[in-house]
Amino acid sequence: MSNPTLLARHAIPGHVSLRIGTNGLAFADIDNAHGSASLCLQGAHLMSWRPKDQAEPVVWLSPLATFAPGKSIRGGAPVCWPWFGPHVTESGWPGHGFARTVPWELCDTAALPDGSTSIGLTLTPTEATRAQWPHEARLALRVSVGRRLRIELTTHNPGPQDLVLGEALHTYLGISDIGAVEVQGLDACEYVDKVAGAVRKVQRGAVRFAGEVDRVYLNTGADCVIVDPGLQRRIEIAKTGSRATVVWTPWAEKADKMGDFGPGRAGQGGWREMVCVESANALDNVVTVPAGGSHTLSVSYAALPL
Ligand code: TA6
């Protein structure tokens, strides 16, 4: 939806404003008693989130992120759907599926009694999406910005056949420095180590970082915590409807190749100031959405003092 008059109907003073920005894309900006966030309607892409009591954003957006029709945004919480990673047979199709690069419909906005703000968006199939995934599934995303950030991704399957799909909320979390943080909650989990050529390993203790990490942790519904002594905070990530967790940092060489992470606060590279902890259903844990049924992947994020 990029019609300014239609968009304006969803504005709520003190909660949500809507704007048409770079390259004609539509954005929703939320600012309430609890914090601020921005969302791009293309991809239903939550771009950033900062609670009022945090000096630094909790959801990280690259300063070099570009906003263009059909392009993904570096940072935020990209919606990966209906496959995760490269498509299994079609190498030319978009990595992580098409949901993050197509326009979504803004359905509703609401100011809730606890001071939080909610936004609902949907994605319905088009000729272009059917060409890559010939199913009638409807996707809905609800974002609630309150003391916590909540994101709920629901797949509705009105068809007569079960649907198997991969998905993730590929969230970039803001940190002080990748070398100083750890991710807790994955001890003893089996994971697929993509950096080591998809070898399967078992996590021992917390995840710490001294090089590129690209791992899909399997069969885990566990909450994760990013412990960050530099920013004196921990980011709690609690999920339901997700059986895989992806942990990713590109490290220097890959970030340089990708070229859109920015210089970072101290000029050491913006990639040092983010880590992706993604709530997913992928690889062994792709999800089956029953005929006539639905499936919801829901994640909540909170930043708390150490
Ligand atoms: O989730 C980790 C990952 O799949 C990595 O392999 C990495 O390439 C990353 O996502 C970013 O993908 P993107 O397509 O957004 O550049």
Side-chain angles (χ1 to χ4, degrees):
M1 183 200 295
S2 55
N3 178 325
T5 317
L6 289 179
L7 271 181
R9 289 203 313 228
H10 292 287
I12 306 175
H15 279 269
V16 193
S17 56
L18 286 310
R19 66 187 155 91
I20 305 294
T22 320
N23 288 318
L25 297 186
F27 297 85
D29 298 313
I30 297 168
D31 196 0
N32 62 29
H34 299 296
S36 55
S38 289
L39 189 138
C40 181
L41 270 56
Q42 173 173 281
H45 194 132
L46 188 278
M47 300 189 304
S48 61
W49 172 53
R50 187 174 68 80
K52 282 266 177 335
D53 62 356
Q54 297 295 312
E56 296 293 333
V58 175
V59 173
W60 180 91
L61 176 68
S62 171
L64 297 189
T66 49
F67 307 99
K71 299 280 177 224
S72 62
I73 297 167
R74 179 67 60 210
V79 175
C80 305
W81 188 94
W83 60 86
F84 179 82
H87 189 274
V88 268
T89 53
E90 302 290 337
S91 58
W93 290 1
H96 294 320
F98 49 77
R100 64 177 176 164
T101 51
V102 296
W104 289 52
E105 187 76 20
L106 175 58
C107 297
D108 60 82
T109 54
L112 303 177
D114 66 356
S116 63
T117 309
S118 153
I119 296 198
L121 303 101
T122 56
L123 179 63
T124 42
T126 62
E127 234 172 84
T129 65
R130 284 188 194 102
Q132 296 189 344
W133 203 66
H135 304 290
E136 292 308 305
R138 189 174 64 83
L139 197 52
L141 189 93
R142 178 151 306 279
V143 174
S144 308
V145 179
R147 292 171 74 82
R148 290 176 166 264
L149 168 71
R150 285 203 166 75
I151 309 179
E152 272 181 19
L153 179 68
T154 301
T155 305
H156 297 278
N157 175 12
Q161 286 165 352
D162 293 356
L163 292 177
V164 177
L165 56 91
E167 60 182 351
L169 292 171
H170 189 307
T171 311
Y172 290 68
L173 285 321
I175 53 175
S176 57
D177 184 81
I178 189 71
V181 302
E182 64 179 37
V183 177
Q184 298 176 344
L186 297 166
D187 184 30
C189 269
E190 185 188 16
Y191 66 91
V192 174
D193 188 339
K194 290 192 171 178
V195 176
V199 173
R200 288 184 181 232
K201 300 179 180 171
V202 175
Q203 181 65 37
R204 296 291 169 220
V207 186
R208 298 191 185 86
F209 305 92
E212 182 184 355
V213 166
D214 191 353
R215 301 177 183 171
V216 182
Y217 289 87
L218 299 166
N219 304 311
T220 175
D223 298 351
C224 285
V225 179
I226 302 170
V227 179
D228 186 349
L231 290 179
Q232 279 293 297
R233 72 183 183 192
R234 62 185 210 278
I235 300 176
E236 290 185 355
I237 303 156
K239 62 177 188 169
T240 59
S242 156
R243 295 294 300 156
T245 295
V246 180
V247 177
W248 180 58
T249 169
W251 216 256
E253 200 182 322
K254 188 162 183 187
D256 278 354
K257 268 195 212 135
M258 294 170 88
D260 58 358
F261 284 83
R265 286 183 292 266
Q268 312 261 325
W271 61 272
R272 294 201 71 97
E273 295 166 8
M274 51 71 47
V275 63
C276 287
V277 177
E278 309 167 33
S279 303
N281 289 304
L283 301 183
D284 304 13
N285 297 128
V286 288
V287 73
T288 300
V289 186
S294 65
H295 173 268
T296 299
L297 187 172
S298 169
V299 191
S300 102
Y301 305 88
L304 301 162
L306 265 193

